[in-house]
Amino acid sequence: EPEVTQTPSHQVTQMGQEVILRCVPISNHLYFYWYRQILGQKVEFLVSFYNNEISEKSEIFDDQFSVERPDGSNFTLKIRSTKLEDSAMYFCASSGRTGPSGANVLTFGAGSRLTVL
Amino acid sequence: DQQVKQNSPSLSVQEGRISILNCDYTNSMFDYFLWYKKYPAEGPTFLISISSIKDKNEDGRFTVFLNKSAKHLSLHIVPSQPGDSAVYFCAASGVYGQNFVFGPGTRLSVLP
């Protein structure tokens, strides 16, 4: 069964350092997402991406965050200067389509745990 | 501003009995709802969905009910199995499903 893969599974970094989290979405999917879950809290939407541009982003997704699809397979989340409060599990997701038929289902990766010291 | 609420942080059920997980939402523009299950150290896994044109959708042991007037949906699992023990998230989106809003989750424990 096709799956979304994320690397690294766990990254530890010093505050102020740049971090890049990588994702390989399902190959024929067109919509890509990043969500995060701070320990003990709910899963929060960060950003959605379609047709090589951000389609929607949340208040969390400030100037420190950026996303990129550098080639036909990878989808990356960059945090320019990490803060302690960025420590969380980051989930990448992809979807095949969207529309009023309600057939949009997000397939999530296993997550990348980011620990900022 | 919690647009999607799951007011029970945890639920314990005996194996073989029915599990009922509840979800309430505030945004009347939500049109499409999903339930995800999450095990520790894994990503959420899609379980079942329902669009606003329906009031019930069934898939094996899982049934989702939607009450649009009450802005309430529920997930029924019957019979419950120990492997169902996980955190269950309700998620909602608008017509074009670009941004899914997740509830805080309910931890289900199915006791043998």
Side-chain angles (χ1 to χ4, degrees):
Chain A
E1 186 171 328
E3 59 181 23
V4 175
T5 57
Q6 290 186 240
T7 55
S9 57
H10 188 194
Q11 179 153 359
V12 181
T13 190
Q14 293 289 324
M15 189 170 59
Q17 294 296 304
E18 176 183 283
V19 161
I20 297 176
L21 305 178
R22 292 182 168 80
C23 171
V24 179
I26 293 173
S27 60
N28 61 348
H29 282 184
L30 301 175
Y31 300 85
F32 314 111
Y33 306 80
W34 283 100
Y35 284 78
R36 80 172 185 188
Q37 185 181 27
I38 295 172
L39 186 63
Q41 298 186 25
K42 65 178 182 178
V43 176
E44 300 175 292
F45 169 75
L46 292 178
V47 65
S48 59
F49 192 87
Y50 171 69
N51 200 26
N52 284 320
E53 60 183 24
I54 291 173
S55 48
E56 193 168 354
K57 61 182 181 179
S58 71
E59 293 175 354
I60 303 168
F61 195 87
D62 61 21
D63 292 344
Q64 292 298 314
F65 291 88
S66 62
V67 289
E68 193 178 33
R69 189 157 160 82
D71 53 43
S73 60
N74 290 287
F75 179 51
T76 63
L77 174 68
K78 182 193 291 186
I79 309 174
R80 267 181 265 284
S81 176
T82 50
K83 304 186 285 280
L84 295 177
E85 54 265 37
D86 293 328
S87 295
M89 183 73 98
Y90 288 80
F91 293 105
C92 174
S94 68
S95 167
R97 58 187 169 133
T98 187
S101 67
N104 188 20
V105 173
L106 270 61
T107 301
F108 284 85
S112 293
R113 180 173 299 284
L114 176 64
T115 301
V116 183
L117 304 176
Chain B
D1 175 27
Q2 280 197 14
Q3 295 189 69
V4 178
K5 303 176 186 180
Q6 294 177 256
N7 291 323
S8 298
S10 62
L11 175 68
S12 292
V13 171
Q14 286 295 130
E15 181 179 4
R17 306 295 289 269
I18 185 171
S19 295
I20 300 176
L21 298 107
N22 293 303
C23 176
D24 297 286
Y25 61 96
T26 58
N27 189 338
S28 57
M29 298 301 291
F30 286 148
D31 184 72
Y32 182 53
F33 306 90
L34 304 92
W35 283 94
Y36 280 84
K37 177 169 74 172
K38 185 181 181 304
Y39 294 117
E42 294 184 12
T45 303
F46 170 74
L47 271 178
I48 193 168
S49 66
I50 189 167
S51 71
S52 61
I53 60 174
K54 293 186 173 183
D55 54 19
K56 177 182 174 181
N57 189 23
E58 192 171 353
D59 184 2
R61 296 186 298 115
F62 302 92
T63 303
V64 56
F65 295 92
L66 174 62
N67 182 335
K68 278 198 73 178
S69 60
K71 295 191 179 69
H72 176 83
L73 63 155
S74 61
L75 174 68
H76 293 209
I77 306 172
V78 57
S80 301
Q81 300 172 353
D84 296 330
S85 297
V87 178
Y88 288 78
F89 292 98
C90 169
S93 76
V95 172
Y96 290 97
Q98 283 293 328
N99 171 9
F100 283 85
V101 179
F102 280 75
T106 297
R107 181 177 300 279
L108 174 67
S109 300
V110 180
L111 310 172

